[in-house]
Amino acid sequence: MSTERTFSIVKPDATRRNLTGKVIDRLESAGLRVIAQKRIWMSTKQAEAFYAVHKARPFFHDLVKFMTSGPVVVQVLEGANAVAKNREIMGATDPAKAAPGTIRKDFAESIEANSVHGSDSAENAAAEIKFFFADTEIVG
């Protein structure tokens, strides 16, 4: 198993309901280590740039509106096979299809307000980490 880094966001629906600590506990209990973290309120410009890959999709504007509706917690996580581990802990994007005990099954309000975002590959993790964090902020 290789140690790697991944990127995570605790979304506005979860921060609004004070679930940040519970989400972080799930990540840490599964063996992931938080090596960088900050609470921010994404601007529209940031959200549009971050989710630019979805720009042509019908849900893009709703996604940007949702992600700018309240504070989020952006994180860099580190651990053995961190990308796959984080995705396993998060559960399926649609909480109705997520496995019992996953973050999305237990905390999500809907497919959009699904409490967390996580990188889907090591390459995307590296780009997403760089989007929000300077190297000096990652202090594992």
Side-chain angles (χ1 to χ4, degrees), residues 7-8 19 21-22 34 38 42 44 50 53 64 66 84 88-91 99 101 110 113 129-130 132:
F7 177 76
S8 173
L19 296 174
K22 289 180 181 182
V34 178
K38 55 188 168 183
M42 258 194 257
T44 299
F50 186 74
V53 66
V64 168
F66 169 65
E88 176 187 325
I89 298 161
M90 288 190 312
S110 68
I129 290 166
K130 223 174 212 3
F132 286 103

Side-chain angles (χ1 to χ4, degrees), residues 54-93:
H54 299 300
K55 191 167 182 79
R57 309 204 57 193
F59 60 81
F60 177 74
H61 293 291
D62 287 339
L63 176 61
V64 168
K65 184 177 177 184
F66 169 65
M67 291 302 292
T68 59
S69 69
V72 299
V73 176
V74 292
Q75 303 172 309
V76 181
L77 307 173
E78 187 174 72
N81 298 310
V83 173
K85 175 60 76 178
N86 186 41
R87 296 193 67 75
E88 176 187 325
I89 298 161
M90 288 190 312
T93 302

Side-chain angles (χ1 to χ4, degrees), residues 5 33-36 135-140:
R5 292 178 175 173
R33 184 174 172 188
V34 178
I35 60 169
D135 290 342
T136 56
E137 295 177 296
I138 302 170
V139 294

Side-chain angles (χ1 to χ4, degrees), residues 2-140:
S2 64
T3 297
E4 65 185 5
R5 292 178 175 173
T6 192
F7 177 76
S8 173
I9 301 176
V10 181
K11 293 182 177 181
D13 63 295
T15 62
R16 176 178 40 80
R17 293 178 290 140
N18 293 321
L19 296 174
T20 304
K22 289 180 181 182
V23 170
I24 294 168
D25 181 59
R26 297 269 182 111
L27 299 170
E28 290 180 331
S29 293
L32 294 173
R33 184 174 172 188
V34 178
I35 60 169
Q37 177 176 271
K38 55 188 168 183
R39 185 178 181 97
I40 64 169
W41 199 310
M42 258 194 257
S43 69
T44 299
K45 185 176 179 179
Q46 277 180 308
E48 287 174 346
F50 186 74
Y51 288 107
V53 66
H54 299 300
K55 191 167 182 79
R57 309 204 57 193
F59 60 81
F60 177 74
H61 293 291
D62 287 339
L63 176 61
V64 168
K65 184 177 177 184
F66 169 65
M67 291 302 292
T68 59
S69 69
V72 299
V73 176
V74 292
Q75 303 172 309
V76 181
L77 307 173
E78 187 174 72
N81 298 310
V83 173
K85 175 60 76 178
N86 186 41
R87 296 193 67 75
E88 176 187 325
I89 298 161
M90 288 190 312
T93 302
D94 182 348
K97 297 176 182 174
T102 61
I103 292 169
R104 289 176 172 156
K105 186 67 165 185
D106 293 346
F107 301 137
E109 296 179 314
S110 68
I111 195 166
E112 180 185 75
N114 62 13
S115 299
V116 287
H117 162 89
S119 302
D120 61 4
S121 69
E123 297 76 23
N124 283 342
E128 291 176 343
I129 290 166
K130 223 174 212 3
F131 188 91
F132 286 103
F133 292 94
D135 290 342
T136 56
E137 295 177 296
I138 302 170
V139 294

